[in-house]
Amino acid sequence: MLNGLNHMTISVSDVSRSFDFYVNTLGFIPKAKWDEGAYLCLDNLWLCLSVGDVTPREDYTHYAFSIRGEDFDEYANHLKSAGVTEWKINKSEGKSIYFLDPDGHKLEIHDGDLDSRLNACIKYPYKNMEFF
C-alpha cells in the first residue's frame, strides 16, 4: 500500500543553474551533486534535478511548496526581488505566489494546507463538488 510521496525528479537543462536556484533562491538543502544531476531536500521532500530534455507544459500541472503564513510576505518579496517570472495570480484561499524555475517548471509557494482548502470549498464549492 502506498504511504506517501517518495521523491520528485525534475528535468533540467543546466544542473549548476538549477542547483543555484533551488538552493540559493528557494532554500533547499543540497545533499549531492554530479555532472548530470543533484539531490536536494526540503524538510521531508527529496528533490532530484536530472539533466534531460525539458519540455515546458501548457497545462496547470505545478509543484506547490508550503510556507508558514507569517513568513509568506517576506519570502514572496524575496522571490520577486530575485526576478522570478510569475505565471498566475492567486485566486484561491490562502496566500500563494506562482512562479517559474529557470527551465520553466511551474512552482507555487502556498501558506495553506488541504484542510484550509477544503474548509474554503465547503463555503464556496466548485461546480458539482463532492466531499468524502
Side-chain angles (χ1 to χ4, degrees), residues 13-57:
S13 59
D14 181 323
V15 171
S16 294
R17 180 180 69 169
S18 292
F19 183 90
D20 179 64
F21 177 79
Y22 281 90
V23 171
N24 297 318
T25 302
L26 299 187
F28 277 71
I29 307 300
K31 295 296 184 175
K33 183 180 174 194
W34 61 99
D35 289 348
E36 299 286 317
Y39 292 145
L40 312 172
C41 70
L42 186 66
D43 195 26
N44 292 324
L45 173 64
W46 164 20
L47 177 66
C48 174
L49 305 176
S50 182
V51 171
D53 292 331
V54 178
T55 306
R57 299 183 63 113

Side-chain angles (χ1 to χ4, degrees), residues 2 4-5 9-10 15 17 19 22 37 55 62 76 79 95 98 108 110 122 127 129:
L2 299 177
L5 179 65
T9 298
I10 297 176
V15 171
R17 180 180 69 169
F19 183 90
Y22 281 90
T55 306
H62 66 283
L79 291 175
K95 292 182 179 180
Y98 298 83
E108 174 188 2
H110 182 66
I122 288 169
K127 184 178 179 180
M129 190 170 200

Side-chain angles (χ1 to χ4, degrees), residues 31-99:
K31 295 296 184 175
K33 183 180 174 194
W34 61 99
D35 289 348
E36 299 286 317
Y39 292 145
L40 312 172
C41 70
L42 186 66
D43 195 26
N44 292 324
L45 173 64
W46 164 20
L47 177 66
C48 174
L49 305 176
S50 182
V51 171
D53 292 331
V54 178
T55 306
R57 299 183 63 113
E58 297 299 320
D59 64 20
Y60 189 62
T61 299
H62 66 283
Y63 308 103
F65 304 107
S66 297
I67 191 166
R68 296 181 320 164
E70 57 268 25
D71 296 331
F72 182 87
D73 291 334
E74 182 179 348
Y75 195 83
N77 288 333
H78 161 73
L79 291 175
K80 290 175 184 178
S81 68
V84 299
T85 300
E86 293 185 60
W87 63 274
K88 180 182 188 276
I89 301 301
N90 185 37
K91 295 179 184 171
S92 60
E93 60 73 37
K95 292 182 179 180
S96 286
I97 180 171
Y98 298 83
F99 59 99

